[in-house]
Amino acid sequence: MYFIGLDVHKKTISYCVKDAAGRVHQEGKVAATRRDLDQWVRVLPQPRMMAMEATIFTGWIYDYLLPHAEQVKVAHPVMLRAIAAAKKKNDTIDASKIADCLRCDFLPECHMASTEIRDRRRVLRYRNLVIKQATQMKNRVSGLLMETGVSYNKQRLHKVGYFGELMSTNEEISDAVRPLLNLSRGMIRRSAKLEYDLVSSLERDPLLKERLRRLRTVPGVGPITALTWALEIGDYTRFRSNKQAISYCGLCADEKSSADKVMRMPLSKQRNKHIQRALVEAAKLAPRNSPELALVRDRELDRGNRNRATLAVARKMVCYLLAVERRKQDFVSSGQILATSAS
């Protein structure tokens, strides 16, 4: 078996080919294009395994090389400390160290979602970008009105009818800002339509439709939370326990312990920030729809910390979502189970 380490960049890929004994057979660079990769793969020894660090360019390279190797692995960039801690660092050394990690089975492998999931996840994250830009534009509209001293109703400002009435009847709006307000409103309107089209296309997708329906039976889980869970989690079977899923979602704290001293730190930054944000927002409203989640929230509130109460609800929701995924059944609350057994 030959072990190939790849140091991936935007325009080039540095590679190092080693055998099981660690002898270098080939080293060099290849252009990061499909045509050059085709020519490069033909001259590589077989059988072979490949490994690369996770970057923004990894996805298409992984998909393209997968049929040409026994295995293609992707290394977790944070866990791959050997490269970052090296005194001398360049592309050739990085590729060589990745090959060594692969050869010695020390590679900190990270999960690589399927192409289908990654394609749909890209659409969902594009929707998040659209929402972020629309929010910035709404804040800009408010800022323009405040800069020029215009009185307005904050709660109704972004309603279509109120905005049109404000522009036509309010004499405080100067001609200098009126074109900017109209342009901003038009962008907000187009963003809303684009966001609706993106979400609708994902909800109608045959690959996700049934899965999303089951997930939405969990209390507090709406269309966006269900989509975020399905596409950010991907293959739920990779989590052997609820604790692993909770850690991936960023709902637990860092721990630093030495000797007999244990310190609990703030929430870990090693998490999937997209699913974390969706679950925290859902956990704020979920207790309204579920007595069980309300009980979890009240128990934590009695201890005096509102943020911990929200995190406790979010962790419970992760357990519910995993249970629905594993059983492939709709969510049933404990109250419904007791009522059914009593009848």
Side-chain angles (χ1 to χ4, degrees), residues 267-312:
L267 288 181
S268 173
K269 295 297 184 182
Q270 295 186 34
R271 86 290 189 209
N272 185 313
K273 63 181 180 181
H274 303 284
I275 186 66
Q276 181 193 50
R277 180 174 61 246
L279 287 172
V280 168
E281 292 299 323
K284 295 177 180 178
L285 301 177
R288 301 180 185 180
N289 304 319
S290 170
E292 297 173 0
L293 294 178
L295 185 62
V296 172
R297 181 176 181 272
D298 293 340
R299 189 185 304 125
E300 289 295 328
L301 281 178
D302 290 340
R303 300 177 182 177
N305 194 306
R306 187 175 297 274
N307 290 336
R308 288 183 182 176
T310 301
L311 290 176

Side-chain angles (χ1 to χ4, degrees), residues 137-154 156-158 162-163 166-167 170-174 177-178 180-182 184:
M137 198 54 59
K138 289 180 180 179
N139 293 337
R140 184 67 270 183
V141 170
S142 302
L144 288 171
L145 294 175
M146 287 188 287
E147 286 174 12
T148 53
V150 178
S151 302
Y152 64 94
N153 187 323
K154 181 179 178 180
R156 298 179 58 198
L157 175 61
H158 302 297
Y162 178 79
F163 186 85
L166 182 72
M167 293 291 289
N170 196 316
E171 297 179 355
E172 297 177 350
I173 301 177
S174 66
V177 299
R178 193 175 292 273
L180 296 177
L181 291 172
N182 286 326
S184 301

Side-chain angles (χ1 to χ4, degrees), residues 40 47 87 107 191 218 259:
W40 172 68
K87 185 175 181 180
L107 191 78
S191 297
V218 176

Side-chain angles (χ1 to χ4, degrees), residues 43 68 84 106 117 192 228 300:
V43 300
H68 302 289
F106 288 155
I117 291 294
T228 306
E300 289 295 328

Side-chain angles (χ1 to χ4, degrees), residues 6 77 96 117 127 144 154 171 194 229 251 264 290 303:
L6 305 175
S96 176
I117 291 294
R127 177 258 173 197
L144 288 171
K154 181 179 178 180
E171 297 179 355
L194 177 57
W229 173 272
L251 301 175
R264 301 298 297 183
S290 170
R303 300 177 182 177

